[in-house]
Amino acid sequence: MSARRIFARPARFAAIAPYLWMVLFFLVPFGFVLKISLSQTAIAQPPYTPVFDFTDGPAALAAAFAQLSFDNFRLLLQDNLYILSYLRSLVVAVTSTLILLVIGYPIAYGMARLPQRWQGVAMMLVIVPFWTSFLIRIYAWINILQHDGLLNKILLALHIVSSPVVWLSTDSAMYLGIVYSYLPFMILPLYATLSKMDASLLEAAGDLGASPRQAFWLVTFPLSLPGVGAGALLCFIPIVGEFVIPDLLAGSNSLMIGQALWLEFFTNKDWPVASAAAVALLLLLVPPLVLYDRLQRRQLGSNR
Amino acid sequence: MAGNATRLTRFNMTSLVLGLAFLYLPIVILVIYSFNASRLVTVWGGWSLRWYHEFFNDRAMLEAAWMSLSVAAVSATLATLLGTLAAVGLARGERFRGRALFSGMLYSPLVMPEVISGLSLLLLFVALNAERGFWTVTIAHTTLTMCFVTVVVQSRLTALDRSLEEAAMDLGCDPVRAFLLVTLPLIVPAIVAGWMLAFILSLDDVVIASFTTGPGSATLPIRIYSEVRLGVKPEINAICTLVIALIAVIIVIASFASKLSSARGESAAPL
């Protein structure tokens, strides 16, 4: 009997405590979201009494299912606000991801080409802002972008503009904030695939007469596609539900779904509709999450 | 090796330098302006520590900072404990019932929008009739950050040479002692880095804390957030600079820990 097999047994017991923790504080809460999303909106005050009680047996359960209300979801479909905020979330996430790819790729590519010694330093430099507070980095941009902020001062001093430009509360400010915050998430997976690439492939391409540009588009880029996919999904998924950045930097006239949920919850105090919005947002994210999982698996598989 | 196709071109260098400047410039400007003597955030009035004094006399902000630090310390410790156990289970447990669900649950919070996690935890706490405050935020942060700890520790564990443990067992160690005496000391740097990461993530969170905290117990990010929504204040610059300084210290320690571990012959940590 191999030592490996003996080791597996106690190691399984190690997983019990974190397993129970995740079931209790990650899985079960989604049950509550689902339940409340199917509760009557009419009950205005939290906590919402359960629509059904599991202890009453199957008959009561059947009766309870008949009582379940899909009104909240119907409301989501009927209310323009929600449909528009879903569409806006998708548009913002797709646009930001594309911008991130265009900006992040050359940076990751440059990193992968640094001498080995400097690659670690460059990676550290990219990771550090990722560790530095999200909120503080967004706040730093507010300092720069506000009406009499640094950016307008510089533009005025250089006579590029004649009066201060409104930067804050615009879509451009929001995109800037998102790109700024998520850039490390894009660079790191790209750098991971680019740095692992076999340089001799490029030399072979060169020997066979490809110009560096041709070699890039015919060899490097296709080989880096798994990194492109991982980086794009790693950014896309959280951006769809983003709350803080659009709330602080974008104008108030159009909401993303994360903000709509927040508003419904904290301002309108309509928990059932907020829960329904959360369920819908989750459904929206299932395909990219599955895709991301597949990509990760394939990459793990190819590493072994 | 350095053929024409793999040379670092001027384009590579420029994009690298511009990219890093983009990442760092706003933070540098923020730090400089935190020493501004002027009441107006945008007018430079000379160097001063005025806004730091202001912060240390601001009771509400200090209480929020204390709340944040204690939540971060407790949740990071819990998360490190649970996350390390989870990593051991995943890296060494091989197949067990519900393994796919387990790893799925551990990886989803890494990408899940915070509004969903926050909302779902709040609904749980309401259903449990738990009083919202320090402990509910701590539990929420533990749940989120233990996933990051798991990723960091697990990657170190899989990179580790298993024959070391097997040798220990051949020499008569039972699996638990082999783990405690051989494996654990080797992954301590990853555990330290995991704790630091969990601490920083907890210190940074606005959204989940907003959902899971009760009235009168706001964390520092919640306070900063509500101030920022009202407009830029110079005191916030000072607070942010202090947070950045704290994080910088933590990063230095964490990178030292990860250097220590790569000096022991494993590949560098992903974070």
Side-chain angles (χ1 to χ4, degrees), chain A residues 49-161:
Chain A
T49 44
V51 182
F52 57 90
D53 193 344
F54 288 109
T55 52
D56 289 351
L61 204 66
F65 268 111
Q67 266 186 42
L68 285 185
S69 144
F70 288 91
D71 290 353
N72 302 314
F73 289 96
R74 217 163 289 144
L75 191 97
L76 288 188
L77 285 176
Q78 281 163 358
D79 197 332
N80 255 343
L81 172 84
Y82 284 99
I83 297 172
L84 288 177
S85 62
Y86 277 111
L87 289 177
R88 177 159 159 91
S89 289
L90 284 178
V91 170
V92 169
V94 169
T95 314
S96 324
T97 306
L98 289 176
I99 302 173
L100 278 161
L101 265 174
V102 171
I103 296 180
Y105 202 102
I107 300 174
Y109 192 69
M111 278 170 69
R113 294 209 155 187
L114 282 175
Q116 200 70 42
R117 208 152 54 90
W118 290 102
Q119 287 193 16
V121 177
M123 195 162 100
M124 197 64 205
L125 284 173
V126 171
I127 292 173
V128 167
F130 158 82
W131 287 56
T132 315
S133 170
F134 233 86
L135 182 61
I136 290 178
R137 287 186 292 144
I138 295 305
Y139 172 68
W141 274 109
I142 297 181
N143 261 336
I144 296 171
L145 295 177
Q146 60 186 319
H147 188 70
D148 44 3
L150 210 58
L151 181 62
N152 273 335
K153 278 192 182 159
I154 293 172
L155 291 179
L156 285 171
L158 295 174
H159 298 291
I160 295 173
V161 296

Side-chain angles (χ1 to χ4, degrees), chain B residues 23-211:
Chain B
L23 284 176
Y24 282 90
L25 225 51
I27 301 175
V28 172
I29 292 168
L30 172 75
V31 172
I32 293 174
Y33 269 87
S34 78
F35 295 103
N36 187 0
S38 163
R39 175 164 286 285
L40 295 161
V41 254
T42 50
V43 179
W44 184 255
W47 298 91
S48 144
L49 288 174
R50 177 178 171 186
W51 305 111
Y52 291 86
H53 280 291
E54 205 98 329
F55 167 64
F56 284 107
N57 289 317
D58 185 337
R59 233 197 128 84
M61 277 292 179
L62 282 179
E63 270 170 20
W66 179 244
M67 163 99 175
S68 271
L69 288 174
S70 37
V71 165
V74 176
S75 70
T77 308
L78 278 172
T80 306
L81 217 70
L82 290 164
T84 305
L85 285 172
V88 171
L90 285 175
R92 293 288 188 265
E94 316 214 314
R95 309 224 141 264
F96 56 87
R97 196 182 282 269
R99 189 196 152 102
L101 173 69
F102 186 45
S103 65
M105 283 192 299
L106 281 168
Y107 282 95
S108 322
L110 302 180
V111 282
M112 188 78 75
E114 289 172 317
V115 275
I116 297 185
S117 313
L119 178 69
S120 64
L121 274 163
L122 170 67
L123 295 181
L124 173 80
F125 293 141
V126 168
L128 293 176
N129 230 335
E131 194 193 329
R132 273 174 280 144
F134 176 86
W135 280 107
T136 47
V137 182
T138 303
I139 288 173
H141 283 182
T142 304
T143 311
L144 179 81
T145 57
M146 69 180 272
C147 306
F148 287 85
V149 176
T150 307
V151 171
V152 174
V153 177
Q154 195 190 349
S155 77
R156 180 57 41 90
L157 269 173
T158 38
L160 217 61
D161 190 354
R162 267 185 136 172
S163 54
L164 291 170
E165 283 162 6
E166 285 164 11
M169 282 188 276
D170 286 344
L171 293 170
C173 260
D174 59 76
V176 175
R177 284 191 46 197
F179 178 80
L180 291 178
L181 293 174
V182 178
T183 316
L184 194 62
L186 285 170
I187 59 168
V188 159
I191 295 175
V192 173
W195 190 92
M196 306 272 180
L197 182 59
F199 186 88
I200 287 175
L201 286 169
S202 166
L203 207 60
D204 188 25
D205 166 68
V206 198
V207 175
I208 292 175
S210 297
F211 275 102

Side-chain angles (χ1 to χ4, degrees), chain A residues 196-243:
Chain A
K196 267 188 290 185
M197 208 138 46
D198 192 350
S200 58
L201 289 172
L202 285 178
E203 284 174 19
D207 289 345
L208 293 170
S211 68
R213 187 174 299 221
Q214 279 176 317
F216 174 80
W217 286 111
L218 294 173
V219 180
T220 312
F221 188 71
L223 281 175
S224 68
L225 280 177
V228 171
L233 287 167
L234 201 57
C235 295
F236 177 86
I237 297 167
I239 292 174
V240 170
E242 187 54 58
F243 166 74

